[in-house]
Structure formats: C-alpha cells, structure tokens
Amino acid sequence: MTFRTMEVHPWSLATNTLDKEHKRLVESLTSLGNGYMGMRGNFEETYSGDTHLGTYLAGVWFPDKTRVGWWKNGYPRYFGKAINNLNFARVEILVDGQVVDLAQNEVSDFNLTLDMKHGVLARRFTVHGVKFEVTRFLSLDVKELAAFKWEVVAVDGKEHRVEFKSYLDGDVHNEDSNYEEKFWQTLDSYADNNLATLSIQTVPNPFGVEQFIVHAEQTFAGDFAPVKHQRAADYVVNEFVTSVGAQAKVFEKRVVVTTSRDYLSLEALQAGADKLSQLVQKESFENLLVAHSKKWEGRWQIADVQINGQGDKALESQQGIRFNLFQLFSTYYGEDSRLNIGPKGFTGEKYGGATYWDTEAYMVPLYLALAEPEVTKNLLKYRHQQLPGAKHNAREQGLAGALYPMVTFNGIECHNEWEITFEEIHRNGAIAYAIYNYTNYTGDTSYLASKGLEVLVEISRFWASRVHFSARHGQYMIHGVTGPNEYENNINNNWYTNRIATWVLKYTAQALAQFPRPDLGVSEEELAKWHEIVENMYFPYDAELDVFVQHDGFLDKDLRPVSSLDPVQDLPLNQKWSWDKILRSPFIKQADVLQGIYFFGDQFDLETKRKNYDFYEPMTVHESSLSSCIHSVLAAELGKEEKAVEMYLRTSRLDLDNYNNDTEDGLHITSMSGSWLAIVQGFAQMKTWNNKLSFAPLVPSIWDGYAFHINYRGRLVKVSVDKEFVTLALLAGEPLTLELYGKEVNLKDTYQVNLGVANV
Amino acid sequence: MTFRTMEVHPWSLATNTLDKEHKRLVESLTSLGNGYMGMRGNFEETYSGDTHLGTYLAGVWFPDKTRVGWWKNGYPRYFGKAINNLNFARVEILVDGQVVDLAQNEVSDFNLTLDMKHGVLARRFTVHGVKFEVTRFLSLDVKELAAFKWEVVAVDGKEHRVEFKSYLDGDVHNEDSNYEEKFWQTLDSYADNNLATLSIQTVPNPFGVEQFIVHAEQTFAGDFAPVKHQRAADYVVNEFVTSVGAQAKVFEKRVVVTTSRDYLSLEALQAGADKLSQLVQKESFENLLVAHSKKWEGRWQIADVQINGQGDKALESQQGIRFNLFQLFSTYYGEDSRLNIGPKGFTGEKYGGATYWDTEAYMVPLYLALAEPEVTKNLLKYRHQQLPGAKHNAREQGLAGALYPMVTFNGIECHNEWEITFEEIHRNGAIAYAIYNYTNYTGDTSYLASKGLEVLVEISRFWASRVHFSARHGQYMIHGVTGPNEYENNINNNWYTNRIATWVLKYTAQALAQFPRPDLGVSEEELAKWHEIVENMYFPYDAELDVFVQHDGFLDKDLRPVSSLDPVQDLPLNQKWSWDKILRSPFIKQADVLQGIYFFGDQFDLETKRKNYDFYEPMTVHESSLSSCIHSVLAAELGKEEKAVEMYLRTSRLDLDNYNNDTEDGLHITSMSGSWLAIVQGFAQMKTWNNKLSFAPLVPSIWDGYAFHINYRGRLVKVSVDKEFVTLALLAGEPLTLELYGKEVNLKDTYQVNLGVANV
C-alpha cells in the first residue's frame, strides 16, 4: 500500500495542497540538511495542528536511560539519541494583530516546493489578505548558517500592519524521550533590538557522556523595523514590525549555530558564532544563497543520475533517485570523520543512534563512486577511532577482540535488545568488508596497512573467540546469532554470519602476510587457529535443494511463499503478527543468504545465485528498507527485469510513496543508497572485483535510458545507456582499461557500443 | 557461596546480633504473613540505616507501565506488581526526647527471634537505659488484624519519659517502580486521641485495572496516656506518653486493615474495619495471641516434618523444612480462591506478579498432602476464573484456545520479555498437569468433569494451533520456545515442551471420552487432529547416547560439565556471564528433560531415568530455585544419596543460608515446597500414580530419621522412618491399601517394617 503526497517532478517535490492530515509525512519529505545540521520541513511560524518539530545537529546526542523491569547482565545502560535541538527557525507572525497559523487560518495560493538541485525549501501562502513567500536553506558554504527570507505583500489592496517575532527557542523535547524528560537546560542568553543569542546544554547524565553545548545567534535584515526584544528562561525573541501594502517587504533571519564539538569553551563557541554572524551579515541573502547553491550544483555534477523516458514510471524513477541522493548528501558528505550516517539523518527521532552497519554495507559503495576517496576513508576512520569502544563491547560479552556496536555514537553499544545487541554480530563482518571494499575499489592499500589492519585483527580475534568447536560435527560453529534477517532470532549457524566471519579471518591473515604488523602481536599460534577455523567452519547446505540454508532448522519450518499470505490480514507482518509468530514463520525481513551472495558475488556462479534467489526471494517480505536494493541488484544480474524494476521502485520511492507507512517518523536515510546500487550495480551491472572495473548494462523497459558518473581510481567516467547504445566517456583522469559485456575496453576518450550487437 | 545470619534452632530463627550490614537479608528472613497480608521484618520504630520497607496485601496490585524504547507487537502493556502497602507498623519512640533509632543508638541486649511454631516475631533491645521487648503477629484468627506490643522498663535505675507516636503511613513507594512513580493516593483520614484511620487508593492507571482501596484503623491499649493526634496529607499519627521506671510499662497497638477486595464501597470498608476494631479491642493482647497461635499449632499438627539426628546437618535440615513450611503457609493457606502464591509472597518486591507456573508444578503436591483438598481446588479454580484472560493471551499471539500467562494477577499476561511471554509456553502444560494431579491424588473427578475440562479443552486448542507440520520430517514440531531451562531461549523442539503438549492433548481427549461435554464444541475433526498430532509428534532423541535431547541443536554445543567452570570467575552464571554466553553454553538453569521425567515418572524405567540424569545433571547449575528439589527427588530414586542430600540442603536452606545471594530482595516462596518434595517424594519415595499410594523410604546418613504426615483420600497417615524401622500410622480415616517397598500393605492402625529385612 503506497501513498503519495508530493507531485512528481524531475528536480523537485512540490504541492499546492496544505495537507494537514499528513503534515508529519510532508515535514519528513521536505527536510533539509547540510551534514552539520538539519531540520524537518516544519513551518517557521505558529502551527497549532499536528506537527513533529525536529531540528538536529550532527553528533549532538543524549544517553536516554532505558532500564525498566527485567534486565540481563551486560545490557547497555542507555540508548543514545540524536536529540531534537533548539528551534532556531521559529517565528510568530501577526497580520493586523492576528496570529498567522495555517492550521486555523483560511489559506489560499499555497505552494510548497523542495528544490533538490539547489537545496532550497520554498513556501508560498496567502492569509488575511497578505501573501508570504518563504525561502530557507542550510548553507553548504558556511555550515553553521541557516538562512530564512520572507517576502510579504498585500494582495487585497489594503495596508496591513505585519509583525515578526523571531525566536531562538530552547524549550524543545524529544517525543521519544523514555521518561518524558527534557534533555536541555539553558546556560546563557543575550538580546538587544538587533540580535539575540541563546546557549543551551544537555542536562547531566549518569553515564559519563559529554554534556554538549549549543549556541545560536540570530541577526536580521530587510524592511522591518526592530521594536522590542525579550529574554525568557528557555528562549530569546526579537520583534519587528512594518506596514505592508502593494509593494513587497522583506524580512530576513540568519542564524549561526556553533557547538562544543568544535569549540573548547562556552566563551569560544559564543565568540565563534559572533564572528561568523558578522561575516554572514555582510553578505546579501542572494549572495549567500548562490554560494550555497553552487555547492549543490557541484555535487550533482559528479553524482547526478539521469533517467530518460516518457512514461510516469520513468519520471517517478528520476525523482526517486535524485531525492535519495539529495537526502543522503544532506545527511553526510564526509567532511567530518567524527560523524556517521544516522538511519533517519536529520529528519526524525526514530532509531536514535548515529551509526548502524548500514553505513558499511550499503553506503560505502556509493560514496566510493560519487565522492573523493577521502569521504569513504573518513567513514573508515570513524570506526578506527571507536576501536576502544568496540573492544569494550567484546569484553562486556566475555569475548576477545572488538565487537562493533549495532547502534552507537561513540563505539559503545547502546541498543538494548539482547537478540540484537548480543547476537546480531554479523555487523562485525560488514565493518571489515568496508575496509576490503575501499581497498579493492580505490587500489589504495595505505589505509589497510595502517589503521585497517588494527581494526581487522581485533574483529578477527572476536570471531575466533566467538566460534565453538562442535565435537559431534568435528566442525566449528557459531551458535546464538541473529542474521541480517531480523525476523529470526537466536539461531544457530546463520549461513551469512558463518560466511562473513570466515571471510574476515581469511582476509585478515592475507593482509597481515602482505603488510606485516608485528606490533599487533598476532602470533603464529593465533594465525594457525584462524586457519583451522577457516578450514573447518560448518556451513548449512541442503544437497537436495542445492541451496545454502539460512540456518540450522530453517528447512524444518512450514515453508511457504509470501503469496500465500493475505495482504490485508497478514501484511506487514511486523504490524499484524506477534513476534513469536514472525520468528517461527519462514518469512524473511531482508536478504540473508542473498546478502552474502551479493557481498561475495565473484565467488558464486550464476546457477548458484539463481537457485538461492529462487528459493529465498518468494519468502521475503522486504519489511526492512535494506532488502529491496540487494534483490534488485541480483534480479538484474539474473535477467529478472520485472522483479529488478519492482524492487528499484520500492527502494527509490520508499519515502516518496510511503511504502512502509512510517515516513511520517522521518526518512529512511540509510537505505537511500539502495536505489543507486540498483541502477549502477543492478541495471548497469557495474563490478569492481579484483581490481577490474566492468559493466554489462541493461535498460529496463519502463525507461528509454539512463546515465551516471563513476569516480574510479582518479578517473571520472560517465556511463550513458539507452536502448541502442552504451556510451562510456572518460571525463577526467588517465586512460582506463575496463570490461564492457565481458569485453576489454581501453577507455581514452569516448567508447560506444551498439547494444543490438553487444547483447548477442 | 553461602552466608548464614540467623542461629539454627529447630523451631525458630534467632540472633543476638544487630546486623546492620545485612539488615535487608534479616528483614526477609523474619517476614510474617497470614495469607491475607504480610510484612518484612522491618523494625517498627525509626531506623535510619539501610532497610527495605515492605508491607503487602494479598491481591492488591498495580499495573506499572514498562514501555521504553524498542517494542514488539503483542507485548503486554504493563507489569503487574504486588505493591508496597501502607506502613501500619510504624512508630516513633522517644526516650527523654531522644529518638530511638537502632542504626544510630548504642544498643545492648539485642535479640531477634522468629517463633515459627506460633507465628510470632519478638525483639528485645536496650537503648538510653531503657529495655524494650516487642512482640508482633499477623493474626490467623482475625485475618485483618496486625497486633503489636511493647514492654518497656528502665534498667539504669532512673525514671524516663517515654513517648510513642504511632503512625498509619501512606507515604510509601516501591523501590522497583519503573518510573519512580507513587502508586498510592490518600482518600480519607480520621484521628482522635484514641484512634486514627487512613484510607488510601491506588492511583489511576490507563490499563483498566481496578483501583484498590485499603483502609486501616489503629487502636491502642496499655499504660501510656494519649496526648495528641495529627492528620497530614499521607499519614495519621496518635501520640502517647508515660514515665517508665523499674516497673515495666506496656504499649499496645492493634491495626485492622480492610480492602476493596472484600467490601463494595469506601463506607463499607470503613464500617467493616470499625466493627472488627471494636471486636479486637475487647480482647486482651494475650487472648488474641493465643487464638492466633492455636491456629498455627493446628497447621503444624498436620504439616510438621520432624527430622532427627545429632549432627549440625540434621538440625539445619530440621530448621530448613520448618522455615519453608512456615513461610509457605504464611503466604497461602487456600482460604481465598481469588489468590495465588506469589514468588516472593509478602517478603519483597521482586518478580512482581502474583502467579507463576510454580504453583501448579511445585506447590500442588504439597497442598494436596498437607491440607484439605479444597485448598488445592481453590488453586485450580483460580485458573478457571482466569480462562478469559488466558484466551485473550492466545488471541494476542494469533493462536486458538487459551495460553495461561507466565506472570499475572488476572489471567492477562504482564511479563514483557518476548522469549518468556511468547515462548515459555510449557507453563500451559503445567496448568493442565495440576488438574490431573488433583484428580489422581484425591480420586475426586468432579472438578475434572466440570471446570477442569473447560480449561483442558482450551489449552489443547492452543497446543493444536501452536504446533506446525514439518513437511521435511513428516512430523509435528514446536518451534520457538523457551523450556523450563530459561538459559536457552527461542529453541526448537524442546523435549519437555513437546512432551507435555502431547500429553495434554491425550489427557484431554481421554477425559472428554470419560466425561462427555458436547457444550465445549469439540468436534470429531478436532479430536482427530489432536490424535494426529499426538501420534506424529517429533521428540528429539539421540540413539548413540540413548538420552532425550533437550532440544534440536543441544548436542552441537560445546558440551562440558559444571565442574569445568571456575567457581569464582564463572558462577553464578547469571551474575558473571553475559546473556548470549549463557544461551550458547550447555549449562542448564533448572531441570528440563528431568522435569519431564519427574512429571511422568511412571512412564520411564529406572535405566532411562539414570541415563538422562547422568547426562544432564552434571551440566546443571541450579540457578533457578526450582531446580534442586527435582534433582533431589530423582537422585533419591536413583540411590544417589549424597547428591540427594546436597540438593535437599540447597533447596531447604536456600534463603536461610542465602545460597543465591539475593535473599535480601525477599524469600523464594514458590520454591519452598521443594524441600518437602525432596523429603516426601525423594527420601520417602512417596508415589501416587494410578490411584495407588506407595512409599520406599531411605534415611540419609546425616539424619537418624524423620517423620511426616500425609492427608490422602480422607486418611491422615503418619510416616516415621529411622535407620531400623519404617512405621506407618493411620491417624484418621478408613483403612487404606498402599505399597511399601513394592509390597502391598493394608493399613488399619499401625504397620512397621524392619529396614534391615525390607531393603534386601
């Protein structure tokens, strides 16, 4: 069941309807971010209807206590949350003394448009005879800057007294606060008629987590006259007034936000904000906007994916991929190695933590291809910095080495379901896989040889202590895990987990042989032990079906396809069924065996891929946002075009069409790379195994063609595909040897192949 | 690691030490109860040191909300708690204006004695030159009555002004309140110089659970003069004073407590308390005490177990069994079929709920033998009354029939760990087993034919919808369960669960054939389906080891005995290991396969019992209080005397010697029947299979002998065992045919057998 609220345009989301019923959904979709901060598409002015206020600052979080009732040894003590931050967008607008409130007023000429090309949110509405046009952006040029402009004009031939009260509001709370506690306290404030500042700090916590300080300063420009200012316990406000007639008047608000993540003291972060504020005050709104927009345009020059075609599906596809890239880059563009990619980015509260395995498993390939290697390296460094936390996690479980957390801000696990925290340990494999991925893609072995090996060795030590030897089988096993398919818990010998654990041990040993690191203290005995595990690992396999078995016991289930379910009574399972029923069922939340086949695609032949795909896909409900893309990639490889397209649309328009009926909570940021994977690794069949770049594109019948860029080992390659030709253009860098449909191509400038010929 | 704080006496617990460090532990051990209400051994007067206040009223509870963070479909919405009730014992005592506070004062001549024979707690201490002797009891004769007496005398040759301020204090809280919320509000109060009353009510809750009202009235007697009274928001107080010299002065406090469980309105329960209060005011403290004590003596006449012997172990054994029976009867003596037996009784907060499967699995045999059949019938009726709640639970999981809850007050599940709530479903078998047990023991089929079958049919329907057919195996299976061994979760085909589920289906079908109940709508098809499941159930079994396998995959573990663990580093596992490590390990919390062999002891030969015992017991850590007794019983049957004794001491002195280092939280009430089972079903080998009573006693070498009574089908039989003779005496009822060491005995009066002869 899908639901669409915004019109389909190639470069924007727009609507002329003020949809009060789906306000939260629209707010999620119109979120803005610049990697440093972000906000939901909340209206700046008073809105008394249902709304979900959300402004977030990257890396500013709070450890919300979670302990209630029954508890088990080793449970994390808190759940870390990217918390709702001070509401610096807030204004109150009065027209002739009447409060502007779109939930209550009669509104005409409404429009809301998110311009993805330039990163601007624009809104227009007329109330009380006055038309307002609002423009806002979070600057890519000055990351601390949020800028707002209102153009106000009377459309009823009268003169109106219009007042603006501009707030910095620290009285905010998280809707998901476990104990309905406030996470903020006010430290300091200042106001005069021309500016105001507010400094807030997270309240004390018993977990030793840093208390963040956030400071905001607002300044103004335009045609309105300052008349008053006010300081209260939790907010500051500046008031302005003017008379508005047929000639448009402008009110501009600029907010600069600094945090204790970048400054050592309250004084320093206040001074920093002052300085930046003075800087941005010197520039016109238009100049600030141009500087910002140019940066977005620059990103699109490298990253844009064009989809051509006449039908609705082609346009929907086009909007989908751009929306995903826009929101992903709004969340993270790799500038700060202390940050990672939160599952909701800056668009909502759900899932709390900053970092999931999603980053390594689903984001890294995209950032490798669409940004400089440094961006991905920063993601890897993030994990290296958190190695002490990961070692702490392993110790908490009585194990050696490092266990990277399921959810974290600082490396220490903060998710509190044992079946996830203690058991969904396959994540530790993905962390290692990303090191391989970076090294294999870029050809740069320096990270592997230095920090990478430190991480790999500790992950390997974890795996070596986590396996056990089953005397009965004479093989090593891994009991008590949750695989990527979280619809089964505490299972034994998850094929995917056993596979990636074994791979890590092998890869680490190889890397150590290539780049000796005596300082890491890996003895011959330890290496021998790893080797013994690798050679004697048990992998569930069924000879009759000739498939890898998801885990011991899976084939004992009442196996049946998703098509046997009642779409209304039964789906989605996670809303209709109790947990035990889901666990006992054969239905798969997201690719599990297939995830492994995707990761190690060069190690399986097509027949193996097809058999496993045909066995597992029919039982998969794709209720994880991370499922569709992997299935789309594999379906494309297996020539299952229809399925590949279905999965592409699902992944690329997950939020735009609200597939999971939960986008009101925020966007599915960490699955947004999925649509790109589906196009580039799926339809275009880009592969990079063993230092070789290759493509084997196909064009889905709903499209006429598509084009994208790839940043690969210093080259920028444009790949254009239509029904007749595949064209490769080397836009920058040295000539490159690659493979197209299995044929070697030496790309110097432009190379074109006629599909009619190539596909034979 | 054990720790003993109270002296060992046959009929009492006593100490001359004021042990401030283990105050909570001592408070737990000196708890009193009369089935209607109970309290920890808190000092009545001010105690500023560490203490855990606890006063509880049977069936008065509060639904504490539990939802924090992650949540799954079908989770219970609250955790029900037997909450800390108004503190009616409280006094403040002043000697010459100085507050008596044993945490601060210099104390001499201290003694604390729990008299188990008469149900009286006595305390003596001297402070500020004045000696106090305190006596208190919760009356078995008037269940609403708590009576306190202080005898005060100067021992320093001086005259002292002694004041008593007697409180009814509603300002109490639960230490385990999830949100640190108060559960009580004051409704009404009254005070004059001679009496005071306080009416409190549980605060509103969003779950539709009844708001209980509790009303208390305090009156006084003795040599002290009333001087003042006071009413505050949450308490009332009466003040008394006198001068105390060499002649002892007495202060008596009587409290009557009524609740909305027994009265329909506030006025009615106030009037009820008034009436009772006037009644008990007419009697002297001594007369009230005698009436109470006589009831305890009456209970002991039926229930007492004597253990003879010279050594410490015999005395410890004696005290242990009496302590267990005393605390068990203090919690429940079957007067009220709306009540059940909470895991901590009236001795602490932990585990919250009123009712666990412990009752059916471990209590029923004891109450059958030591009380009138009506008592056990009341326990069965309790479950019948809660059938609607059990059906609700099954529906919540999308299943048919009834699923009795793991933890409840009203039939609706209120435990919130999915691996327990949704999966520890074997409990549903124990509910059915108790019906069988009652019917088989008493020979009374009337309950089975009426209410019993209604329960059995719904439980059977649950099982029939909970199994699934594994096409691969061609057999029925039960996936995703937690067995009695809670150190494994979400396992497949737990032998015990499969066994008891199958047994229920078979037993229900048999009972239906014997007592047709067309009103229950069990069709031929339904019966045929049950039969098919019974005939085709899969039971994990290993031919090589010739043992029943705890569950699929158990034998794949790294199997090793508890003796391979480091007692300091590793034990107890639940305090030293993280949950995942426990789950993966082969170590068993409590009997699992052996629990089944115990329940269906007539269906397995000795060799089978021995093989399974020898396989599983070495891997069992007995970290459940319910484990040792079953092992003791089986060890005795298998002639493993040393193990049987070890397990007996562990179960009988679990709290007295603080085996699990958690008795400070309260006593392990529901495992207290275990020591009785170990003696009667273990050492004396009492069996009641198939309408036949039999014994085959042995005397553990640490004892000289032992004796106990059995109430069996209208007869009272005394069984006395020493090293030479077993003596059976028919104290009441018709002659009875039974078996002794496999030989039929027609018991008319007394029968004695010489062990030297019999044991050959």
Side-chain angles (χ1 to χ4, degrees), chain A residues 102-346:
Chain A
L102 269 51
Q104 305 293 338
N105 302 149
E106 195 167 310
V107 181
S108 60
D109 191 26
F110 181 85
N111 177 269
L112 177 65
T113 299
L114 176 67
D115 172 354
M116 301 188 286
K117 193 163 197 167
H118 306 103
V120 175
L121 183 64
R123 187 159 54 103
R124 187 182 69 223
F125 57 90
T126 298
V127 290
H128 306 314
V130 178
K131 183 171 83 172
F132 291 82
E133 291 187 281
V134 198
T135 307
R136 83 177 179 211
F137 65 90
L138 302 176
S139 173
L140 288 197
D141 190 46
V142 181
K143 70 179 193 292
E144 295 87 352
L145 171 65
F148 305 83
K149 185 175 81 171
W150 286 260
E151 291 181 71
V152 191
V153 65
V155 291
D156 59 358
K158 297 178 189 162
E159 282 283 323
H160 298 275
R161 176 185 162 86
V162 177
E163 295 166 75
F164 271 83
K165 299 181 183 179
S166 175
Y167 287 79
L168 298 175
D169 186 357
D171 184 18
V172 293
H173 71 285
N174 262 44
E175 289 196 355
D176 70 354
S177 168
N178 281 333
Y179 289 78
E180 287 159 35
E181 289 171 326
K182 262 191 82 168
F183 297 149
W184 291 106
Q185 60 195 8
T186 298
L187 275 192
D188 192 19
S189 68
Y190 171 83
D192 60 34
N193 264 9
N194 295 307
L195 66 86
T197 72
L198 182 69
S199 309
I200 61 175
Q201 183 177 32
T202 50
V203 298
N205 68 78
F207 308 111
V209 170
E210 167 186 6
Q211 286 180 264
F212 294 94
I213 301 174
V214 170
H215 174 78
E217 175 164 343
Q218 61 178 357
T219 54
F220 309 93
D223 307 318
F224 283 63
V227 289
K228 216 172 136 187
H229 61 270
Q230 194 196 333
R231 287 163 56 205
D234 292 328
Y235 64 86
V236 290
V237 56
N238 293 87
E239 300 189 22
F240 296 84
V241 70
T242 199
S243 180
V244 174
Q247 193 187 337
K249 298 285 179 72
V250 167
F251 180 71
E252 291 177 21
K253 170 177 184 174
R254 289 162 203 185
V255 184
V256 162
V257 184
T258 53
T259 83
S260 56
R261 294 183 63 252
D262 297 321
Y263 296 89
L264 284 174
S265 69
L266 176 61
E267 293 67 33
L269 62 92
Q270 288 173 337
D274 263 352
K275 199 174 138 190
L276 286 165
S277 211
Q278 285 164 25
L279 218 71
V280 298
Q281 272 297 87
K282 286 185 199 146
E283 293 292 335
S284 70
F285 187 89
E286 284 63 35
N287 281 352
L288 293 169
L289 179 55
V290 165
H292 162 71
S293 298
K294 275 196 181 309
K295 298 242 169 178
W296 267 112
E297 285 168 10
R299 289 180 176 183
W300 287 117
Q301 269 173 17
I302 309 176
D304 187 34
V305 177
Q306 292 154 37
I307 291 172
N308 307 315
Q310 300 310 313
D312 289 347
K313 291 265 176 271
L315 191 57
E316 290 164 10
S317 300
Q318 175 68 79
Q319 188 190 39
I321 180 66
R322 284 195 179 128
F323 181 68
N324 289 335
L325 292 173
F326 175 74
Q327 288 293 352
L328 201 49
F329 291 162
S330 295
T331 306
Y332 187 83
Y333 205 70
E335 294 95 341
D336 185 344
S337 72
R338 297 168 304 169
L339 298 177
N340 210 289
I341 308 164
K344 295 274 163 218
F346 302 119

Side-chain angles (χ1 to χ4, degrees), chain A residues 376-496:
Chain A
T376 307
K377 208 184 225 177
N378 271 347
L379 287 172
L380 303 186
K381 278 183 190 164
Y382 177 92
R383 295 292 194 178
H384 179 263
Q385 284 159 17
Q386 297 190 349
L387 191 52
K391 289 167 92 165
H392 165 90
N393 298 333
R395 271 199 309 277
E396 282 289 296
Q397 291 186 235
L399 295 167
L403 173 59
Y404 278 91
M406 198 64 197
V407 181
T408 195
F409 280 88
N410 56 7
I412 291 173
E413 179 65 72
C414 69
H415 182 105
N416 65 339
E417 293 176 309
W418 63 265
E419 64 273 20
I420 304 292
T421 307
F422 295 161
E423 301 212 330
E424 200 171 338
I425 52 173
H426 69 77
R427 60 187 185 254
N428 226 18
I431 311 302
Y433 187 83
I435 298 172
Y436 155 78
N437 217 348
Y438 171 84
T439 309
N440 176 65
Y441 190 96
T442 62
D444 166 23
T445 57
S446 65
Y447 182 80
L448 170 64
S450 58
K451 297 187 169 69
L453 259 172
E454 292 164 21
V455 171
L456 288 174
V457 163
E458 294 302 340
I459 292 179
S460 289
R461 283 174 170 153
F462 172 84
W463 286 121
S465 78
R466 183 57 168 74
V467 304
H468 78 271
F469 187 72
S470 169
R472 274 251 150 173
H473 275 260
Q475 284 180 293
Y476 286 92
M477 292 186 164
I478 306 182
H479 273 193
V481 303
T482 295
N485 170 28
E486 290 172 324
Y487 282 1
E488 299 187 301
N489 293 153
N490 195 42
I491 55 177
N492 294 335
N493 294 312
N494 174 248
W495 183 85
Y496 173 81

Side-chain angles (χ1 to χ4, degrees), chain B residues 508-581:
Chain B
T508 306
Q510 284 167 0
L512 272 178
Q514 202 181 346
F515 305 104
R517 286 292 297 272
D519 61 311
L520 300 179
V522 180
S523 66
E524 283 307 313
E525 292 72 32
E526 197 170 6
L527 279 173
K529 177 76 188 179
W530 295 359
H531 183 71
E532 195 199 322
I533 296 167
V534 169
E535 292 300 307
N536 296 290
M537 180 60 83
Y538 161 81
F539 296 103
Y541 165 75
D542 187 78
E544 193 184 313
L545 296 165
D546 191 20
V547 296
F548 306 122
V549 179
Q550 189 157 295
H551 66 89
D552 288 346
F554 183 79
L555 296 182
D556 286 347
K557 290 189 162 193
D558 178 18
L559 301 177
R560 57 198 179 104
V562 176
S563 60
S564 70
L565 295 173
D566 181 325
V568 176
Q569 296 260 313
D570 297 322
L571 293 175
L573 294 183
N574 63 23
Q575 289 171 25
K576 302 293 175 66
W577 283 13
S578 81
W579 191 240
D580 61 306
K581 193 169 176 180

Side-chain angles (χ1 to χ4, degrees), chain B residues 503-679:
Chain B
W503 173 85
V504 174
L505 292 170
K506 207 161 27 175
Y507 182 62
T508 306
Q510 284 167 0
L512 272 178
Q514 202 181 346
F515 305 104
R517 286 292 297 272
D519 61 311
L520 300 179
V522 180
S523 66
E524 283 307 313
E525 292 72 32
E526 197 170 6
L527 279 173
K529 177 76 188 179
W530 295 359
H531 183 71
E532 195 199 322
I533 296 167
V534 169
E535 292 300 307
N536 296 290
M537 180 60 83
Y538 161 81
F539 296 103
Y541 165 75
D542 187 78
E544 193 184 313
L545 296 165
D546 191 20
V547 296
F548 306 122
V549 179
Q550 189 157 295
H551 66 89
D552 288 346
F554 183 79
L555 296 182
D556 286 347
K557 290 189 162 193
D558 178 18
L559 301 177
R560 57 198 179 104
V562 176
S563 60
S564 70
L565 295 173
D566 181 325
V568 176
Q569 296 260 313
D570 297 322
L571 293 175
L573 294 183
N574 63 23
Q575 289 171 25
K576 302 293 175 66
W577 283 13
S578 81
W579 191 240
D580 61 306
K581 193 169 176 180
I582 292 175
L583 292 179
R584 288 196 300 281
S585 86
F587 302 116
I588 298 169
K589 184 184 180 193
Q590 77 175 80
D592 196 298
V593 165
L594 299 181
Q595 182 75 38
I597 286 177
Y598 164 77
F599 267 172
F600 304 110
D602 59 331
Q603 299 173 29
F604 305 101
D605 59 30
L606 266 185
E607 190 51 23
T608 303
K609 292 180 183 183
R610 187 185 311 279
K611 275 189 174 156
N612 281 280
Y613 185 96
D614 289 346
F615 183 70
Y616 286 109
E617 200 283 329
M619 292 188 281
T620 305
V621 288
H622 305 295
E623 290 179 13
S624 162
S625 62
L626 302 170
S627 188
S628 310
C629 57
I630 302 304
H631 283 84
S632 186
V633 169
L634 289 176
E637 184 175 10
L638 295 170
K640 297 168 185 289
E641 188 213 307
E642 196 181 338
K643 196 77 199 178
V645 167
E646 177 199 333
M647 292 287 109
Y648 168 77
L649 285 172
R650 189 175 174 125
T651 187
S652 74
R653 300 191 60 85
L654 181 71
D655 288 317
L656 287 172
D657 291 345
N658 200 12
Y659 269 86
N660 287 6
N661 191 28
D662 62 357
T663 294
E664 63 173 39
D665 298 332
L667 304 174
H668 297 83
I669 295 296
T670 48
S671 67
M672 286 188 160
S673 60
S675 45
W676 184 88
L677 297 176
I679 293 171

Side-chain angles (χ1 to χ4, degrees), chain A residues 65-75 79 81 178-180 351-352 356 396-399 407 414-420 422-423 465-466 468-473 477-480 488-493 542 544-545 551-559 573-581 583-584, chain B residues 65-75 79 81 178-180 351-352 356 396-399 407 414-420 422-423 465-466 468-473 477-480 488-493 542 544-545 551-559 573-581 583-584:
Chain A
K65 61 182 192 283
T66 51
R67 181 164 182 157
V68 153
W70 305 83
W71 212 249
K72 300 214 167 92
N73 214 28
Y75 271 23
F79 187 66
K81 293 178 175 176
N178 281 333
Y179 289 78
E180 287 159 35
Y351 300 115
Y356 287 66
E396 282 289 296
Q397 291 186 235
L399 295 167
V407 181
C414 69
H415 182 105
N416 65 339
E417 293 176 309
W418 63 265
E419 64 273 20
I420 304 292
F422 295 161
E423 301 212 330
S465 78
R466 183 57 168 74
H468 78 271
F469 187 72
S470 169
R472 274 251 150 173
H473 275 260
M477 292 186 164
I478 306 182
H479 273 193
E488 299 187 301
N489 293 153
N490 195 42
I491 55 177
N492 294 335
N493 294 312
D542 188 77
E544 193 183 314
L545 297 165
H551 65 89
D552 289 346
F554 183 79
L555 297 181
D556 286 347
K557 290 189 163 192
D558 178 18
L559 301 178
L573 295 183
N574 64 23
Q575 288 172 26
K576 301 294 175 63
W577 284 13
S578 81
W579 191 240
D580 61 307
K581 193 168 174 182
L583 292 179
R584 289 195 300 281
Chain B
K65 62 181 192 284
T66 50
R67 181 162 183 159
V68 154
W70 304 84
W71 212 250
K72 300 216 168 90
N73 213 28
Y75 272 24
F79 188 66
K81 292 180 174 174
N178 281 335
Y179 289 78
E180 287 159 36
Y351 301 114
Y356 286 65
E396 282 288 296
Q397 290 186 238
L399 296 166
V407 181
C414 70
H415 182 103
N416 65 338
E417 292 176 310
W418 64 266
E419 63 274 20
I420 305 292
F422 295 160
E423 300 212 330
S465 78
R466 184 58 167 74
H468 77 272
F469 187 72
S470 169
R472 274 251 151 173
H473 274 259
M477 292 186 163
I478 306 182
H479 273 192
E488 297 186 302
N489 291 155
N490 194 42
I491 55 177
N492 294 335
N493 294 309
D542 187 78
E544 193 184 313
L545 296 165
H551 66 89
D552 288 346
F554 183 79
L555 296 182
D556 286 347
K557 290 189 162 193
D558 178 18
L559 301 177
L573 294 183
N574 63 23
Q575 289 171 25
K576 302 293 175 66
W577 283 13
S578 81
W579 191 240
D580 61 306
K581 193 169 176 180
L583 292 179
R584 288 196 300 281

